[in-house]
Amino acid sequence: MAITRLRNKAQEGLLTGEKHAPAQEPFITTLLKWIFYAITLYWLCLLVPSFASVTEAVSTLWQPSMDAHCVSASGWRCRNARQHAERLLSRHPLIDGHVDVPVQARYRYGNKIDTIPFDQPVFANGSYPTLGHVDIPRLRAGKSGGFFWSAYVVCPNETTVGKNFEHAATDIAVRDTLEQLDVIKQMTDKYHHDFALVGSVDAARKAFKHGQMISFIGIEGAHSIGNSLFALRTYASLFSNTIPGP
């Protein structure tokens, strides 16, 4: 019996190390598997973020003040600095501390507001119709958030006021300063879609949100108060009923 079993095993290949080849799966099954693998790989490539997007995300976390367009090339910088600056200026008002528009109005246009082409576009040759460096088209192009209108007048001297310098000089300075404040009020009223006189932070934020340039007034030079605290208090209260504030 034992010899018979060994003979049977030898015939079956169990004693010689022979193995039966596994049964091959149908061709259609193999094809479907490869199609499934290809589709899975394709969707993985779409879902996994690209290297560029990962870099942008890291740069945003690394420099919160910069937007997602800032990447590391030769140091941290923006891909398009102009677009980045315009984006910042459209969100955060940049205030100019001194603009001499009222001075130009006084000494070049005689304070005649209607003769100032303050809102006229640039000429075809690239020059500007407004004398000086400031007008509405250039303020808008530069995305100005607002500025201080400078109420400046020339300090009187003995040559201009004569012998009675002490009193005449102070009177003239106060008068001229009041004229400049009136010019500022006229210009902001005429171009009220572009400018808003404000007297508080909340009013300034509201004006900027509505697309207006924030307008403050700065009186330049102590000679403008004419040695009078009364004049100083008058300046402070002059627009208190018309300027939004606390």
Side-chain angles (χ1 to χ4, degrees):
M1 294 295 294
I3 296 175
T4 303
R5 291 194 188 96
L6 290 174
R7 186 182 299 113
N8 293 336
K9 290 182 178 180
Q11 291 176 352
E12 294 173 0
L14 297 177
L15 297 180
T16 59
E18 296 180 1
K19 296 182 180 179
H20 293 284
Q24 294 184 351
E25 60 184 14
F27 172 76
I28 187 64
T29 303
T30 304
L31 179 62
L32 291 175
K33 283 184 178 180
W34 281 108
I35 293 176
F36 173 77
Y37 295 152
I39 294 175
T40 302
L41 181 62
Y42 172 77
W43 281 107
L44 285 175
C45 291
L46 292 180
L47 294 176
V48 174
S50 64
F51 177 77
S53 62
V54 172
T55 304
E56 289 183 358
V58 172
S59 67
T60 304
L61 294 174
W62 184 259
Q63 289 190 336
S65 62
M66 309 292 276
D67 59 25
H69 296 290
C70 297
V71 296
S72 177
S74 56
W76 290 98
R77 63 180 179 83
C78 289
R79 291 178 179 175
N80 190 318
R82 182 184 180 89
Q83 289 182 357
H84 182 64
E86 290 178 348
R87 182 177 180 181
L88 290 177
L89 292 174
S90 65
R91 296 183 177 185
H92 311 285
L94 180 64
I95 306 298
D96 191 331
H98 188 114
V99 168
D100 281 323
V101 170
V103 180
Q104 299 290 337
R106 182 178 185 85
Y107 295 108
R108 293 193 175 187
Y109 296 97
N111 279 348
K112 297 177 181 179
I113 305 302
D114 292 336
T115 65
I116 305 175
F118 200 54
D119 59 345
Q120 298 301 309
V122 62
F123 291 134
N125 61 3
S127 62
Y128 292 87
T130 305
L131 298 175
H133 302 105
V134 179
D135 51 36
I136 292 176
R138 280 179 281 191
L139 288 169
R140 289 299 189 186
K143 291 191 174 296
S144 172
F147 51 85
F148 280 81
W149 297 72
S150 176
Y152 170 78
V153 294
V154 175
C155 184
N157 54 53
E158 292 186 14
T159 303
T160 58
V161 300
K163 296 181 180 180
N164 191 12
F165 173 74
E166 182 178 356
H167 297 290
T170 56
D171 293 343
I172 290 175
V174 172
R175 180 203 66 188
D176 291 351
T177 301
L178 287 171
E179 290 178 354
Q180 292 308 97
L181 294 175
D182 179 65
V183 165
I184 295 171
K185 185 65 167 58
Q186 287 188 60
M187 295 192 73
T188 53
D189 285 346
K190 181 177 180 179
Y191 303 107
H192 60 275
H193 293 295
D194 297 291
F195 305 108
L197 283 174
V198 299
S200 69
V201 174
D202 290 338
R205 289 173 175 169
K206 183 178 179 181
F208 183 73
K209 183 178 180 180
H210 291 167
Q212 296 170 295
M213 283 176 271
I214 302 166
S215 296
F216 302 104
I217 297 177
I219 296 176
E220 182 180 356
H223 61 281
S224 287
I225 66 174
N227 295 327
S228 170
L229 292 178
F230 168 80
L232 182 61
R233 286 192 295 268
T234 301
Y235 293 151
S237 62
L238 190 59
F239 300 114
S240 60
N241 294 327
T242 57
I243 298 179

